């Protein structure tokens, strides 16, 4: 292991659980604990957990926090009216490309919380600090490096969390998806990245290893980055750095549903985004021919021009190769296209995402 790699508070626990560790964007993270496929199915059928402590919690406090986020984010925080409500949004630069995707939680009018990606966290915070200064909003923007995050996912995930954190059930049992509760210094959010029910739990880093061990005792399976990728891809969820980055605007990355262009509200990147418009569409592919697996950066040939796969994998749930791709406008659901795999052009069907939701195929 390189001495420069960052580690989470669960690094020793991963090794005790016989994890295969890899360099993930500068972090020493588990890719699996013996079987990526078994971990994938554990989440689809029971409960699995992911150490996502490399992601960053950022608390923003001050009288003008709602006004600040109204201008800083592409989605509209006016939708956040109930304490604990969460919203998925992109953080854009003035050129309308994606600095990061994040979740923003509303707790009070002077306190919002963001959860941002690991690789972009420092850049995000520097950008927001710059806006805070330029707009003279006087906010306190705090990186919560003292917190760790565990994602517990699967149809039995919530019951497993309540089993080991019994004092939290009353406050979290009625949470609807994309809502959170703060119970002392623990935040329990009904969010996730797998297409299954479950919680993402942020708690003091000093408490995360005990929580992890209690969940193992309760039957929750540790899962690595490999299973996380097949699960999120089946769920049709974008991954920053793969399906979007600072070279692409959110309309071309399939994220139009997160952009508020209806209200008169101005936000960073809005003018450029309207000027650029949408020039590509983001759709799913299902490989029809045998002889290959869909992967990122493969070229897609269509009657309307070429496109590119951004993420691809063999789906453990569907037993077929699937992918997300940016394709020319004009390509339609149900079309057959051809993907360049080595020296072949293999047929694939264009499909609507997600591929799998709550353990069931969404393909017709």
């Amino acid at each position: 292991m390189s001495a420069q790699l960052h580690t989470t508070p669960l690094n020793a626990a991963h090794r005790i659980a016989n994890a295969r560790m890899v360099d993930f964007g500068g972090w020493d993270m588990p890719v699996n604990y013996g079987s990526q496929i078994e971990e994938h199915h554990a989440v689809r059928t029971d409960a699995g957990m992911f150490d996502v402590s490399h992601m960053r919690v950022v608390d923003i406090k001050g009288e003008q926090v709602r006004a600040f986020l109204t201008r800083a984010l592409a989605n509209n925080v006016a939708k956040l009216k109930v304490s604990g409500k969460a919203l998925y949004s992109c953080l854009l630069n003035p050129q309308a490309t994606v600095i990061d995707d994040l979740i923003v939680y509303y707790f009070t009018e002077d306190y919002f919380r963001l959860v941002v990606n690991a690789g972009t966290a420092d850049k995000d915070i520097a950008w927001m600090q710059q806006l805070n200064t330029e707009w003279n909003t006087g906010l306190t923007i705090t990186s919560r490096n003292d917190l760790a995050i565990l994602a517990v996912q699967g149809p039995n995930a919530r019951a497993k969390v309540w089993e080991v954190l019994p004092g939290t059930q009353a406050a979290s049992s009625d949470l609807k998806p994309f809502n959170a509760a703060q119970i002392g210094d623990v935040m329990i959010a009904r969010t996730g990245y797998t297409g299954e029910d479950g919680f993402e739990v942020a708690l003091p880093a000093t408490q995360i290893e005990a929580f992890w061990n209690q969940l193992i005792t309760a039957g929750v399976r540790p899962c690595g980055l490999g299973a996380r990728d097949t699960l999120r891809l089946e769920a049709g969820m974008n991954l920053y750095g793969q399906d979007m980055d600072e070279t692409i605007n959110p309309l071309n990355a399939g994220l139009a549903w997160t952009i508020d262009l209806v209200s008169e509200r101005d936000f960073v990147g809005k003018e450029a985004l309207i000027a650029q418009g949408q020039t590509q569409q983001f759709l799913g592919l299902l490989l029809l021919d045998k002889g290959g697996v869909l992967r990122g950066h493969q070229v897609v040939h269509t009657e309307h021009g070429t496109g590119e796969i951004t993420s691809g994998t063999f789906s453990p749930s569907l037993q077929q190769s699937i992918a997300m791709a940016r394709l020319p406008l004009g390509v339609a659901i149900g079309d057959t296209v051809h993907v360049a795999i080595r020296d072949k052009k293999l047929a694939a069907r264009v499909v609507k995402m997600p591929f799998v939701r709550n353990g069931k195929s969404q393909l017709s």
Side-chain angles (χ1 to χ4, degrees), residues 86-165:
L87 184 72
Y88 175 76
S89 181
C90 289
L91 183 68
L92 304 181
N93 59 29
Q95 294 74 42
T97 58
V98 183
I99 296 174
D100 199 7
D101 67 326
L102 54 85
I103 295 178
V104 53
Y105 297 89
Y106 160 64
F107 287 110
T108 67
E109 283 305 311
D110 59 1
Y111 168 31
F112 284 63
R113 166 169 286 183
L114 308 184
V115 177
V116 304
N117 283 301
T120 53
D122 291 338
K123 180 178 64 172
D124 296 353
I125 293 169
W127 172 243
M128 290 188 290
Q129 292 284 18
Q130 179 183 329
L131 296 179
N132 186 32
T133 300
E134 290 177 1
W135 296 343
N136 194 30
T137 39
L139 301 175
T140 301
I141 300 174
T142 305
S143 177
R144 295 297 306 273
N145 297 28
D146 57 318
L147 298 180
I149 311 174
L150 201 60
V152 191
Q153 301 281 291
N156 297 321
R158 292 195 301 151
K160 299 291 187 183
V161 170
W162 292 329
E163 183 179 333
V164 302
L165 295 177

Side-chain angles (χ1 to χ4, degrees), residues 196-309:
E196 296 294 333
D197 200 357
F199 286 141
E200 292 179 307
V201 183
L203 70 171
T206 53
Q207 300 175 21
I208 193 75
E209 188 167 352
F211 184 42
W212 168 273
N213 288 330
Q214 287 173 313
L215 287 168
I216 288 178
T217 300
V220 179
R221 182 160 188 149
C223 302
L225 295 169
R228 189 192 73 152
D229 201 50
T230 53
L231 288 159
R232 72 92 190 170
L233 215 158
E234 287 183 351
M237 295 177 173
N238 294 39
L239 175 64
Y240 192 85
Q242 199 157 323
D243 304 300
M244 59 186 156
D245 54 28
E246 285 199 61
T247 68
I248 192 88
N249 83 39
L251 300 180
N252 290 336
L255 296 172
W257 63 276
T258 73
I259 310 298
D260 168 37
L261 291 174
V262 176
S263 71
E264 295 182 356
R265 173 187 67 105
D266 193 16
F267 59 84
V268 175
K270 181 177 182 179
E271 182 179 354
L273 189 63
I274 292 173
Q276 294 168 20
Q278 182 178 355
T279 57
Q280 296 172 298
Q281 55 183 335
F282 198 69
L283 295 168
L285 296 180
L286 184 68
L287 186 63
L288 300 176
D289 286 338
K290 297 186 182 303
V293 176
L294 301 178
R295 302 288 186 198
H297 305 301
Q298 291 170 340
V299 176
V300 184
H301 297 269
T302 83
E303 292 183 357
H304 304 275
T306 59
E308 181 183 13
I309 289 177

